Amino acid sequence: MSNIGSYDERIKNFDWSLAEKELDYKDGDTFNIGWYCSDRICEQGKANKLALIWEGLGGVEKRYTFNDVRVRSNTIGHFLKGLGIKNEDRVCLFMDKIPELYIGFLGVLKIGAVAQPLFSAFGDESLHVRLDNAQTTAIITQRKHVGKVRKILDQMPYLKHIIIVDHDGKKELKEREMVFSMDEAAPVEKFEIFPTKAESPSVLHYTSGTTGQPKGVKHVHYSLISQYLTTKWVLDLQDNDIYWCTADPGWVTGTSYGIIGPWSLGITQCVLDTGFGAEPWYKFIEKNKISMWYSAPTAIRSLMKAGDEVVTQHDLSSLRHLASVGEPLNAEAVIWSEKVFGLPFYDTYWQTETGSMMISNYPGMKVKPGSMGKTFPGITGVILDPDTFEEINEPNKPGLIGFKPDWPAMMRMYWRNEETYQKKFKNGWYMSGDRSTIDMDGYYWFVGRDDDVINTGGHLVSPFEVESALLEHEAVAESAVVAKPDDVNMEVVKAFVTLNKGYEASDELELKIMNFIRKKLSPLAMPQEIEYLDTLPKTRSGKIMRRLLHAKEWGEEIGDTSTLEDDAPRMI
Ligand code: PRX
């Protein structure tokens, strides 16, 4: 029997207070995600149950029970508090998928500070803009990433502490740096958790828009209400499940459903801290008898590419439920997974801003391959006319997805960016920025994004950020960045550039520019192709028209070019 039972029954008279009751929460109580994910689970008699099975390079394994997670997060909290870090200070977690990241996240929350996880492959510039916006007080990182922090240290007077979790103490520590070993520090059995309330800030995740700097999405502890119930009903996690969420906690899926959701339910989860590979992934499932697997379309398409034979070489019979998020899950991938795993991937749709799943497929409900499913109980979704923002009540007619902003995990603001936050609301609806249709049965079918943001392998990349970074390269005079179609990643970054005098277009220069972006921003933001142009298409007012370049890449109609500079269309 699935946790949700019947979707149709659940949507009748749904109230979030159901989750509040299950979590023993009453209005006005203290509310701390760190406590819910460790201490409470121990109090429920699961102290010795495995919370985390971690595997790193070379098959190294570490295991932590819920009591280990409780004590170690106390220990980290105690250490941070000792440094003078206070509630609401921002503490950045800048690590690979190592145990310190997962457990440290709870430690930060336990002192009432705001956890700011950042993708560890970010280069110094990506790191800097995000730390700067958040005015981060401390960063917890690894030796291999500390060089990136050192590079920008002079520009960050607010960053007081650089905590290195894997330093052997042999090499010299530089300014503001210190060593902390989670497994070796004196364990703190009893810790006074900061009395955060439901509306106290908890997590700050950064997401990219078309223009401007990345936006810091502020969540509060009360988000747990949505994350707990969606984990229970959509991912269907049950007490004896072994769960694997493949997302990195540098992104929202990795925290909402890679830490908070499963641990608040007292579920054992596995983490594989090595790159992607069909063989090692299947081996990991087989070895750990993983029963519930939450992944992403790009990974699924890569597995499809690796072929069916490698699937048959492993015993994957432990799998009982699969789900996916982050980008359109094509019908072929769902059909393939049914063929090879005997189970379809259940698509889920949500965003950094929504904090929890909004539209999903549910156990027991018919899966229509290619559809994102239906709204979660308690979520009011609509399709809005892009001009009037009025509801479109016609089945199968595309429009913008809007949500009534009233669920617990909804973001509370964009950090120090009220103006952009306000723009996300029209006629009382939260505008997702995505286009979709709804069919006769209430299923949503994704159409596309309503902006220029590039979704590469489920990760959002801002064309503006890449364009700005390109301009910092000495050879580049002008730049325009768009998405280019890709079989596996759906979209990859493509840059068009014009060169400064004295620079010649060449393959060597292309590689140099690519590497420059990889180091500065991240491997995700690195253009997979750079095309040299003599001039970029611009409007008469001088604005670069990405739309034209995008249309060219996708073989689409160019549309209205009446505002173009006279000579521009010739280049397309
Ligand atoms: O465009 C949608 C796409 O990913 C965006 C959200 O990205 P992010 O904030 O990074 O969060 C990703 C993980 C929650 C959405 O606006 N997206 C997400 N899920 C789907 C999707 N597009 C199509 N189908 C989905 N299931």
Side-chain angles (χ1 to χ4, degrees):
M1 177 69 178
S2 68
N3 287 332
I4 191 168
S6 153
Y7 172 79
D8 293 330
E9 286 303 314
R10 292 291 192 186
I11 49 174
K12 287 182 201 157
N13 306 318
F14 175 85
D15 200 307
W16 291 106
S17 61
L18 179 92
E20 292 185 351
K21 274 196 205 102
E22 289 191 15
L23 290 165
D24 297 320
Y25 168 75
K26 279 181 283 328
D27 201 15
D29 285 355
T30 57
F31 195 118
N32 190 287
I33 290 176
W35 179 81
Y36 271 109
C37 290
S38 57
D39 300 64
R40 180 171 185 264
I41 304 300
C42 294
E43 284 175 19
Q44 289 175 334
K46 294 188 196 167
N48 295 323
K49 182 177 175 180
L50 274 181
L52 178 65
I53 301 172
W54 175 87
E55 189 179 315
L57 278 177
V60 184
E61 207 184 84
K62 289 186 184 175
R63 288 170 178 245
Y64 298 86
T65 62
F66 276 100
N67 193 52
D68 295 334
V69 171
R70 181 185 71 80
V71 174
R72 281 172 171 75
S73 56
N74 284 350
T75 311
I76 295 172
H78 173 81
F79 177 76
L80 296 173
K81 215 171 148 186
L83 293 175
I85 297 170
K86 306 181 304 302
N87 62 307
E88 305 211 7
D89 281 349
R90 274 75 61 209
V91 177
C92 174
L93 299 136
F94 189 53
M95 286 171 270
D96 296 352
K97 293 194 277 181
I98 56 174
E100 285 82 348
L101 170 57
Y102 294 77
I103 301 171
F105 178 82
L106 301 187
V108 172
L109 297 180
K110 281 187 172 180
I111 63 163
V114 182
Q116 183 194 8
L118 288 178
F119 184 44
S120 64
F122 273 152
D124 54 291
E125 185 149 323
S126 291
L127 182 63
H128 181 225
V129 291
R130 289 161 178 80
L131 296 180
D132 206 45
N133 178 260
Q135 296 283 292
T136 309
T137 305
I139 185 167
I140 309 178
T141 190
Q142 291 166 273
R143 217 160 27 153
K144 68 199 254 198
H145 299 302
V146 82
K148 296 186 265 193
V149 185
R150 284 179 186 165
K151 216 164 159 188
I152 49 177
L153 193 63
D154 286 351
Q155 300 163 64
M156 303 190 293
Y158 43 83
L159 188 76
K160 299 202 179 80
H161 315 283
I162 301 159
I163 301 151
I164 308 171
V165 294
D166 58 353
H167 201 289
D168 55 12
K170 287 187 189 134
K171 280 217 177 98
E172 198 191 326
L173 289 166
K174 299 246 165 81
E175 194 192 336
R176 299 179 236 174
E177 291 173 4
M178 66 200 70
V179 179
F180 172 78
S181 164
M182 178 179 86
D183 291 333
E184 283 162 29
V188 177
E189 273 294 328
K190 288 201 168 25
F191 183 67
E192 205 176 312
I193 296 176
F194 188 86
T196 42
K197 296 280 183 185
E199 286 302 311
S200 303
S202 56
V203 183
L204 189 58
H205 266 299
Y206 278 77
T207 184
S208 297
T210 309
T211 56
Q213 295 296 359
K215 296 165 285 185
V217 176
K218 178 181 122 175
H219 288 292
V220 296
H221 284 266
Y222 193 60
S223 69
L224 172 64
I225 297 291
S226 302
Q227 289 150 348
Y228 166 86
L229 205 60
T230 46
T231 304
K232 189 166 174 183
W233 287 2
V234 181
L235 301 182
D236 196 40
L237 288 178
Q238 302 182 9
D239 203 30
N240 55 358
D241 268 319
I242 308 282
Y243 170 64
W244 183 26
C245 169
T246 59
D248 187 310
W251 311 103
V252 74
T253 308
T255 56
S256 291
Y257 298 102
I259 303 178
I260 305 172
W263 280 354
S264 66
L265 280 150
I267 301 295
T268 304
Q269 66 160 331
C270 299
V271 170
L272 181 62
D273 184 24
T274 59
F276 173 82
E279 168 69 26
W281 274 35
Y282 292 141
K283 224 168 136 184
F284 190 64
I285 295 172
E286 183 175 21
K287 180 174 156 196
N288 293 298
K289 299 199 168 38
I290 288 163
S291 52
M292 202 293 148
W293 183 21
Y294 192 29
S295 197
T298 289
I300 302 163
R301 285 189 293 269
S302 305
L303 293 172
M304 269 173 92
K305 239 184 160 174
D308 299 1
E309 205 184 313
V310 57
V311 183
T312 57
Q313 289 160 356
H314 296 87
D315 176 7
L316 306 180
S317 57
S318 55
L319 290 173
R320 68 164 190 89
H321 187 39
L322 320 175
S324 160
V325 66
E327 22 157 7
L329 179 63
N330 37 326
E332 300 77 47
V334 179
I335 294 162
W336 174 79
S337 100
E338 261 187 310
K339 186 180 83 181
V340 300
F341 305 124
L343 302 162
F345 269 93
Y346 282 64
D347 196 13
T348 67
Y349 164 93
W350 56 292
Q351 308 177 304
T352 307
E353 285 87 342
T354 69
S356 63
M357 296 164 184
M358 304 303 283
I359 299 169
S360 299
N361 288 280
Y362 307 89
M365 192 181 88
K366 182 180 166 208
V367 173
K368 295 191 187 185
S371 158
M372 303 192 290
K374 297 190 189 189
T375 43
F376 188 79
I379 301 292
T380 312
V382 284
I383 300 296
L384 300 169
D385 182 289
D387 299 316
T388 61
F389 305 111
E390 296 294 334
E391 259 179 79
I392 300 177
N393 282 313
E394 214 179 299
N396 307 321
K397 192 163 178 208
L400 302 172
I401 308 176
F403 295 109
K404 195 169 165 204
D406 62 356
W407 67 97
M410 170 60 174
M411 69 165 160
R412 296 300 193 266
M413 68 170 187
Y414 285 135
W415 201 260
R416 295 168 65 202
N417 196 347
E418 178 65 18
E419 198 187 330
T420 310
Y421 176 74
Q422 290 303 339
K423 282 191 191 144
K424 293 293 287 186
F425 300 90
K426 298 274 189 248
N427 290 344
W429 298 105
Y430 161 69
M431 305 298 297
S432 69
D434 287 314
R435 283 177 283 127
S436 174
T437 60
I438 306 182
D439 70 14
M440 291 290 284
D441 303 324
Y443 284 72
Y444 284 68
W445 296 80
F446 187 78
V447 174
R449 287 187 63 92
D450 195 43
D451 59 20
D452 292 340
V453 170
I454 301 164
N455 188 335
T456 179
H459 297 110
L460 304 188
V461 171
S462 153
F464 170 80
E465 259 189 290
V466 184
E467 286 166 0
S468 309
L470 281 166
L471 294 184
E472 288 175 41
H473 191 279
E474 56 191 11
V476 178
E478 287 178 309
S479 65
V481 165
V482 298
K484 171 184 147 159
D486 184 81
D487 278 356
V488 171
N489 291 286
M490 288 295 270
E491 299 184 348
V492 289
V493 177
K494 169 158 183 186
F496 293 86
V497 299
T498 64
L499 295 178
N500 280 320
K501 271 208 180 98
Y503 289 92
E504 291 255 331
S506 71
D507 290 350
E508 200 192 335
L509 180 61
E510 184 184 7
L511 277 182
K512 273 193 186 154
I513 299 176
M514 283 176 175
N515 261 319
F516 177 78
I517 300 298
R518 184 177 57 81
K519 280 208 184 127
K520 230 180 195 350
L521 299 182
S522 73
L524 298 171
M526 183 182 85
Q528 300 295 311
E529 186 188 338
I530 296 177
E531 190 171 326
Y532 302 105
L533 293 178
D534 295 334
T535 50
L536 295 180
K538 292 194 200 96
T539 60
R540 291 203 182 92
S541 60
K543 205 170 156 241
I544 293 171
M545 288 188 86
R546 275 196 208 116
R547 185 167 58 88
L548 290 184
L549 299 165
H550 187 273
K552 175 181 168 261
E553 288 308 310
W554 293 77
E556 290 163 358
E557 288 284 312
I558 285 174
D560 180 17
T561 56
S562 57
T563 56
L564 268 181
E565 267 180 0
D566 294 343
D567 60 339
R570 266 182 276 133
M571 296 164 333
I572 306 294

